[in-house]
Amino acid sequence: MSSRPLEHACELTRKGFQWARTRHPWVYRDDLASASGSNGDIVRVLHEGRVIGSAFLGTRSKIALRWIERSEEPREPGAELWRERLAAAHARRAPLAARTDAYRVVHDAADGFPGLVVDRYGPVAVLQSTTAGAERIVPAIAEEIVAVLGVQAVIARNDLLIREKEGLPRESRILRGTCPDRIWVHEDGPLGRIEYPVEPQRGQKTGAYLDQRENRWAAAERAEGRFLDAFAHQGLFALHAARRAAEAIAVDSSTAALELCEEATGRNGITNLKAIRANVFDYLKEASERGESFDRIVLDPPAFAKNRAEVPAAVRGYREINRRAMGLLGAGGLLVTCSCSYNLSEEGFLEVLREAAGGARADFRLIERRGQAADHPVVLAHPESAYLKCFILERY
Ligand code: SAH
C-alpha cells in the first residue's frame, strides 16, 4: 500500500499539551486550538507549530484525538504499521494461546489500535470498531488478521450503540471467508479443559465474556461444596468449578444462554451442574427465605451503570445483590464479586461492598483483588480502562 503524507493537522492548546503529557490516550475537543480534517482522518498533532505525533481525528464526539503515535517524526500509518502492531499484539498472547483458542488479540489503545478490538475464536476473528478512525482502517486490518492469525473468517460485530455517537451505522457482516454459526472453543483451566460453544454472529459481546477468563480459573481453584454462579450467561464459572464443587448452580435470565450452558455441561461430561432460569435478585431473596446456604457464590452482573447518571441506581443494585449473597454464605464461605461498570471505580465498588456487609451483619476479609483478563490490558494513564473489578471476599 503506498502511503500519502498526512494532509491535516491539529494544534493543541497549552492545557491540551499539559494533558497530553499525562500520556492519556485521548485529547478532548476543548484542548484543541485549531483542527483540520474530517471525521476519522489520521492527522498530525502539533504544539506551538512543532509536530509531536499522529492521531485519529473524531469530529462527532467530545474525544477529538486518539493517539496513534507520539513522535516528532510519526510514521505513515499504513498496512505496514498495522501489521507490525498486530503481530506484536498476537505474540504477547502466546502464553494464553497455549491454554485457550478463545482470546482477545487486540484491545484498543493498550495494543496500539485506538477504537478497535479483535477477538479470536479458533478459526474465526471477530472485530469491533467504535470510532470513525478505526472504521477506516478495518479493510486493511481484516487483510492483516487473515495473514497474521491464519484464521478462515473475519467478521465485524458492529452492532454497538456507541457507534451512533460517532455517526457510524450499526451493522454486523462477514468481511472475509465464511463463518460457521457455532464454534466450539476450549479453555484449559486449573481443573482441566472446558469446551464451550460460541456464536460469533449473534452471541453477547463478540460471542463470549473473555474478560472473566482468569477470574473463572481463580474461582475454580477455590471451588468447594455448593457453588452458585449468579449472572452465569453460559455458566462458564460453574462449568470450571463443577469439577471440584459438590454441586454447581448457574442462574441467568436468558434462555438462550442457559441452553448453551446445558449443551456445554453435556459435552464436558459434567453431571453436577444445574442451570436455572431466574432473575438473580429474586433468586437470592427466595434462596434466603428457603434457608439455603452456599459455600461459594459468584456475582457477575452486567454493567448496571452504563453512564454516570445511572451510577446511583447501579450502586443500589450492587448493594442489594451483594448483601443478599453475603447473607447466604456461612463462615469460611467465599464471595467472588464483580463489577464491569466503567463509571464505578474500584474504591467506589469496595465502598458498596462495605455497606452490603454492614447490611448483612457479616464480617469479610478481602483476600484477593483481581481485574480483567490478561488479554484486556489496562492503559496505565487511563484509569477507567481498568473497567472490570473482581474481589474475592471470605466470610469469618
Ligand atoms: N459470568 C458470565 C458472564 C455474565 S454477563 C461469564 O463468565 O461468561 C451477565 C449476564 O447476566 C448475562 O448473561 C445476562 O443475561 C444476565 N442477566 C442480566 N440481568 C439479569 C438478572 N436480573 N437476573 C439474571 N440474569 C441476568
Side-chain angles (χ1 to χ4, degrees):
M1 188 193 267
S2 70
S3 48
R4 284 181 297 115
L6 299 176
E7 268 178 69
H8 297 289
C10 293
E11 172 88 32
L12 303 184
T13 61
R14 239 179 91 81
K15 186 173 144 278
F17 183 63
Q18 293 303 329
W19 172 249
R21 290 173 72 179
T22 68
R23 315 297 289 188
H24 195 283
W26 307 338
V27 176
Y28 296 96
R29 180 149 330 280
D30 290 348
D31 290 334
L32 292 189
S34 68
S36 85
S38 51
N39 201 23
D41 280 348
I42 295 174
V43 297
R44 281 173 293 137
V45 185
L46 310 179
H47 177 58
E48 294 178 343
R50 228 166 19 89
V51 176
I52 56 168
S54 63
F56 284 124
L57 174 67
T59 58
R60 301 284 189 105
S61 77
K62 276 189 279 188
I63 303 165
L65 300 178
R66 291 170 195 257
W67 290 96
I68 296 171
E69 201 179 346
R70 298 180 203 245
S71 154
E72 289 171 13
E73 292 175 25
R75 289 172 60 180
E76 286 304 326
E80 201 181 293
L81 177 77
W82 303 127
R83 185 183 315 130
E84 278 178 25
R85 288 192 177 177
L86 181 64
H90 188 228
R92 284 194 289 277
R93 270 67 176 180
L96 198 53
R99 295 183 69 177
T100 177
D101 58 351
Y103 54 93
R104 176 154 294 189
V105 184
V106 167
H107 185 63
D108 206 322
D111 285 303
F113 287 91
L116 188 78
V117 304
V118 180
D119 290 340
R120 174 186 208 149
Y121 298 106
V124 174
V126 185
L127 64 80
Q128 275 179 334
S129 63
T130 50
T131 65
E135 186 83 346
R136 295 261 192 107
I137 64 170
V138 160
I141 303 281
E143 206 57 57
E144 300 308 330
I145 288 173
V146 172
V148 174
L149 307 187
V151 289
Q152 73 176 44
V154 182
I155 73 170
R157 271 297 297 275
N158 284 334
D159 40 358
L160 297 163
L161 197 58
I162 40 169
R163 278 172 58 98
E164 286 181 356
K165 276 199 197 160
E166 294 270 330
L168 300 169
R170 290 167 66 190
E171 57 181 19
S172 289
R173 62 201 170 92
I174 299 185
L175 301 172
R176 291 283 182 287
T178 51
C179 181
D181 289 341
R182 169 174 292 194
I183 302 157
W184 282 88
V185 295
H186 68 267
E187 276 183 16
D188 288 330
L191 311 178
R193 174 166 291 200
I194 290 295
E195 294 184 20
Y196 67 95
V198 175
E199 298 182 335
Q201 298 187 80
R202 61 188 195 107
Q204 300 187 26
K205 287 204 163 193
T206 61
Y209 291 89
L210 299 173
D211 54 0
Q212 286 285 22
R213 179 192 314 102
E214 285 91 322
N215 296 333
R216 297 193 279 258
W217 296 351
E221 267 174 343
R222 299 172 184 278
E224 200 181 290
R226 299 192 78 210
F227 186 105
L228 175 64
D229 178 1
F231 303 97
H233 188 234
Q234 55 180 313
L236 287 175
F237 274 99
L239 285 160
H240 281 284
R243 293 258 161 81
R244 180 167 286 164
E247 181 191 3
I249 297 165
V251 177
D252 201 279
S253 55
S254 157
T255 311
L258 293 173
E259 279 170 15
L260 296 176
C261 178
E262 277 165 0
E263 279 190 55
T265 304
R267 174 126 165 173
N268 290 288
I270 289 169
T271 52
N272 58 342
L273 193 163
K274 205 159 62 186
I276 296 177
R277 179 162 178 265
N279 180 330
V280 167
F281 286 82
D282 299 337
Y283 182 87
L284 294 174
K285 184 164 174 273
E286 288 160 16
S288 73
E289 285 164 4
R290 286 191 297 267
E292 282 193 51
S293 68
F294 294 91
D295 301 286
R296 304 288 182 259
I297 300 180
V298 176
L299 292 177
D300 183 22
F304 285 160
K306 298 234 164 46
N307 54 53
R308 286 219 194 116
E310 288 176 5
V311 169
V315 161
R316 287 194 294 277
Y318 287 121
R319 202 190 292 129
E320 177 174 343
I321 54 174
N322 280 282
R323 175 176 55 82
R324 293 208 185 275
M326 286 168 167
L328 287 168
L329 290 164
L334 297 184
L335 176 64
V336 179
T337 183
C338 312
S339 163
C340 57
S341 290
Y342 175 94
N343 293 293
L344 182 62
S345 68
E346 183 177 70
E347 195 41 50
F349 186 43
L350 272 175
E351 193 51 40
V352 171
L353 297 175
R354 291 184 191 110
E355 290 166 6
R361 299 178 190 188
D363 297 308
F364 283 86
R365 276 189 283 268
L366 171 54
I367 60 171
E368 213 176 319
R369 289 173 185 247
R370 307 182 54 86
Q372 62 228 37
D375 51 348
H376 293 55
V378 171
V379 173
L380 180 64
H382 183 192
E384 296 83 1
S385 72
Y387 67 96
L388 179 61
K389 282 74 68 181
C390 172
F391 297 116
I392 306 184
L393 305 177
E394 181 179 28
R395 183 159 185 180
Y396 67 97

